[in-house]
């Protein structure tokens, strides 16, 4: 059985729904939702509202923590590669979407997540 975790939305407990209600009749309270899995905020928030609340509260802080970019990121022919498949003839190839160059790939290269780096460079 997977472990239960709490929604990380800072205002989750303020949304008045039946499933958040806890306690006896004379001492009712709403609590943060607790589930084995969530769909939002990378699996940490119960709804888009809670995800948005988290972002509004912590987003700018997280940007400062992990570092703001201070120079523009640049796409050049070196990092404009993607892996594609031609469904007409079933050929696999690396495609450069700036130069429109195509380089044939083997099935093994096509299936390998490291053929194109995370920043779009061709690694073969
Ligand atoms: Zn929530």
């Amino acid at each position: 059985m997977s472990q239960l975790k709490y929604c990380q939305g800072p205002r989750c407990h303020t949304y008045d729904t039946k499933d958040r209600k806890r306690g006896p009749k004379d001492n009712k309270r709403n609590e943060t939702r607790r589930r084995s899995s969530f769909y939002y905020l990378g699996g940490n928030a119960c709804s888009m509202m809670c995800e948005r609340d988290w972002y509004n509260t912590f987003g700018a802080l997280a940007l400062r923590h992990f570092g703001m970019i201070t120079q523009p990121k640049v796409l050049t022919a070196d990092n404009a590669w993607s892996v594609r498949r031609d469904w007409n003839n079933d050929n696999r190839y690396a495609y450069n979407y700036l130069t429109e160059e195509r380089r044939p790939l083997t099935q093994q290269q096509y299936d390998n997540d490291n053929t194109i780096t995370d920043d779009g460079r061709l690694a073969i």
Side-chain angles (χ1 to χ4, degrees):
M1 188 172 146
S2 54
Q3 198 157 351
L4 296 177
K5 58 183 177 180
Y6 289 104
C7 170
Q8 297 301 303
R11 294 173 41 83
C12 189
H13 63 291
T14 67
Y15 299 114
D16 195 33
T17 60
K18 264 189 177 170
D19 69 305
R20 289 178 170 99
K21 293 194 184 306
R22 296 284 185 277
K25 214 172 224 171
D26 58 341
N27 191 20
K28 289 256 185 239
R29 62 185 193 274
N30 284 9
E31 289 187 1
T32 299
R33 273 185 174 148
R34 193 176 185 209
R35 298 276 187 280
S36 56
S37 68
F38 295 114
Y39 292 107
Y40 302 94
L41 196 65
N44 291 296
C46 73
S47 67
M48 286 177 78
M49 265 191 322
C50 284
E51 181 180 68
R52 173 55 52 181
D53 289 341
W54 186 94
Y55 177 79
N56 287 342
T57 304
F58 301 113
L61 197 62
L63 272 176
R64 283 197 297 276
H65 176 78
F66 294 109
M68 307 270 290
I69 64 167
T70 56
Q71 299 287 320
K73 291 187 171 190
V74 179
L75 184 71
T76 65
D78 290 338
N79 63 346
W81 291 96
S82 67
V83 169
R84 295 202 179 167
R85 181 176 182 172
D86 186 338
W87 294 94
N88 294 319
N89 55 27
D90 213 30
N91 288 337
R92 283 109 174 121
Y93 56 95
Y95 178 73
N96 189 301
Y97 44 93
L98 277 189
T99 64
E100 299 184 359
E101 180 185 349
R102 292 175 180 219
R103 293 188 191 173
L105 295 176
T106 64
Q107 178 70 48
Q108 191 179 11
Q109 291 169 326
Y110 178 83
D111 292 336
N112 186 342
D113 290 339
N114 299 318
T115 294
I116 308 288
T117 63
D118 286 344
D119 65 347
R121 294 175 194 283
L122 192 57
I124 52 169

